[in-house]
Amino acid sequence: MAAPLTGPSQSMRRLRALLPQVLDSVDCLLFDCDGVIWRGDEAIPGAPQVINLLKERGKRVFFVTNNSSKTRKMYADKLQALGFNAKEDEVFGTAYCSAMYLKTVCGLQGGKVYLVGSNAMSQELEAVGIQQTGVGPDHIHGKQGDWAAVELDPDVKAVLVGFDDHFSYMKLNRAFQYLTQRDCLFVGTNRDTRLPLEAGKAVPGTGCLLQAVETAAQRQAQTVGKPNHFMFDCVASQFGVDPSRCLMVGDRLDTDIMLGSNCGLKTLLTLTGVNTVADAEVHQKSGSAERQGMVPDYYVESIADLLPALQG
């Protein structure tokens, strides 16, 4: 059963309705992926049934992830392989959303992107007609004077930073050299500093790479991923969803729950990933208006807790 978080800081949103009533109040559900519907390459037990039953009940379901290492199609293929009824156009990852941001918000026309990122990001950029350069290793050579005079592509009009397992000093330097041109756009996929793994382990996330580039360039990037409202804007503009009839489901307070708060969505924290109820209570008691945005309306142990209401 979903339990509401209540208290003085949430006096305007004391939602004590039972889970069936909560589900009846929404037409659309947005799910984070890792830690919510799967861990690594395995589905959270019961998650495929929940997603599939929601759709059978006529709910719209979307998948929103800050991970930029896969294209929409790659995510759809993974979802389907794990037993989820999912389509490519229901997936909104930062590889796709960054391409859309550069095309629609930045109005990038006729210029290239210097990409610190993955092949998936390259594919999503090219799918919307944006050329890129930079994918793959960039090994260091020469001396410092050579690094400062590194060859740059004159057609590059933007730097985009996502997760890049080939990140190197030369890539950092090349991004910095482009960004010394003040009219060069600067965009990052997300600011997640850690990628959680199994058994409580983690590795550095995209936010670490982005901060390195920002520090070198002495400029701050516009970020596309959660909790930035642009990810929800992508969903809303394409499917015409009503924010007041949407529920954001996630395991991270600073990205998933904050996205919901930023966009006027109901929020549900699942405890199968990063954050705990205790974490939310610390934000709730902080007295900080910004941190109140990280307090979810509801929490569940796992999204499998939705099964009884859906099967009834």
Side-chain angles (χ1 to χ4, degrees):
M1 181 67 66
L5 286 169
T6 61
S9 62
Q10 273 205 300
S11 59
M12 299 297 291
R13 297 191 298 166
R14 289 184 176 176
L15 303 180
R16 292 190 172 90
L18 297 176
L19 186 53
Q21 294 170 294
V22 175
L23 292 175
D24 286 344
S25 73
V26 298
D27 305 314
C28 169
L29 296 94
L30 282 67
F31 287 88
D32 178 47
C33 294
D34 198 28
V36 177
I37 60 173
W38 65 53
R39 289 197 198 94
D41 292 323
E42 294 187 6
I44 298 286
Q49 295 95 314
V50 167
I51 299 299
N52 299 345
L53 283 169
L54 283 167
K55 290 192 166 189
E56 289 177 19
R57 288 282 194 93
K59 306 295 185 185
R60 284 180 167 177
V61 175
F62 300 99
F63 307 93
V64 289
T65 173
N66 274 359
N67 191 319
S68 62
S69 66
K70 292 182 175 64
T71 63
R72 303 178 94 186
K73 185 180 186 305
M74 292 164 69
Y75 273 114
D77 289 346
K78 177 174 180 175
L79 285 158
Q80 292 162 12
L82 292 176
F84 295 91
N85 173 10
K87 297 182 294 185
E88 184 177 339
D89 67 354
E90 295 169 339
V91 178
F92 291 82
T94 50
Y96 168 75
C97 290
S98 294
M100 292 301 295
Y101 184 84
L102 285 164
K103 180 181 179 180
T104 62
V105 176
C106 298
L108 188 65
Q109 301 288 341
K112 286 185 183 177
V113 169
Y114 177 64
L115 176 59
V116 179
S118 62
N119 281 314
M121 293 177 68
S122 171
Q123 292 173 43
E124 295 288 20
L125 285 168
E126 290 170 2
V128 300
I130 297 175
Q131 292 183 298
Q132 61 76 36
T133 181
V135 170
D138 190 355
H139 300 297
I140 201 162
H141 58 273
K143 299 180 180 180
Q144 289 180 348
D146 302 313
W147 306 342
V150 67
E151 184 178 356
L152 302 178
D153 187 328
D155 293 330
V156 166
K157 305 299 181 187
V159 170
L160 172 60
V161 179
F163 185 76
D164 188 342
D165 53 10
H166 293 295
F167 189 74
S168 64
Y169 180 84
M170 187 51 70
K171 285 198 167 190
L172 172 62
N173 173 62
R174 204 178 294 271
F176 161 68
Q177 299 299 338
Y178 280 118
L179 289 167
T180 59
Q181 304 167 32
R182 302 311 298 180
D183 59 348
C184 184
L185 301 167
F186 187 15
V187 177
T189 57
N190 66 87
R191 296 187 178 277
D192 299 11
T193 54
R194 292 186 178 189
L195 298 177
L197 304 176
E198 294 292 329
K201 295 183 179 181
V203 293
T206 300
C208 299
L209 313 186
L210 182 59
Q211 285 181 36
V213 178
E214 288 180 326
T215 301
Q218 296 183 15
R219 291 178 58 180
Q220 188 166 28
Q222 295 295 317
T223 48
V224 172
K226 298 174 290 185
N228 190 300
H229 63 82
F230 183 75
M231 288 198 83
F232 178 73
D233 292 347
C234 282
V235 179
S237 64
Q238 292 180 33
F239 291 91
V241 298
D242 177 358
S244 69
R245 300 281 300 176
C246 289
L247 177 68
M248 177 69 219
V249 185
D251 68 312
R252 294 182 68 127
L253 300 174
D254 60 342
T255 56
D256 303 321
I257 303 306
M258 182 66 89
L259 172 73
S261 298
N262 286 344
C263 298
L265 319 180
K266 299 175 179 68
T267 54
L268 173 65
L269 175 71
T270 177
L271 304 180
T272 49
V274 173
N275 285 124
T276 66
V277 172
D279 295 332
E281 289 174 341
V282 170
H283 292 305
Q284 187 178 46
K285 296 172 183 176
S286 69
S288 163
E290 180 180 357
R291 291 175 67 181
Q292 300 309 311
M294 290 185 274
V295 180
D297 295 317
Y298 291 89
Y299 69 89
V300 288
E301 293 295 328
S302 162
I303 66 165
D305 292 359
L306 277 63
L307 274 173
L310 293 168
Q311 293 172 330

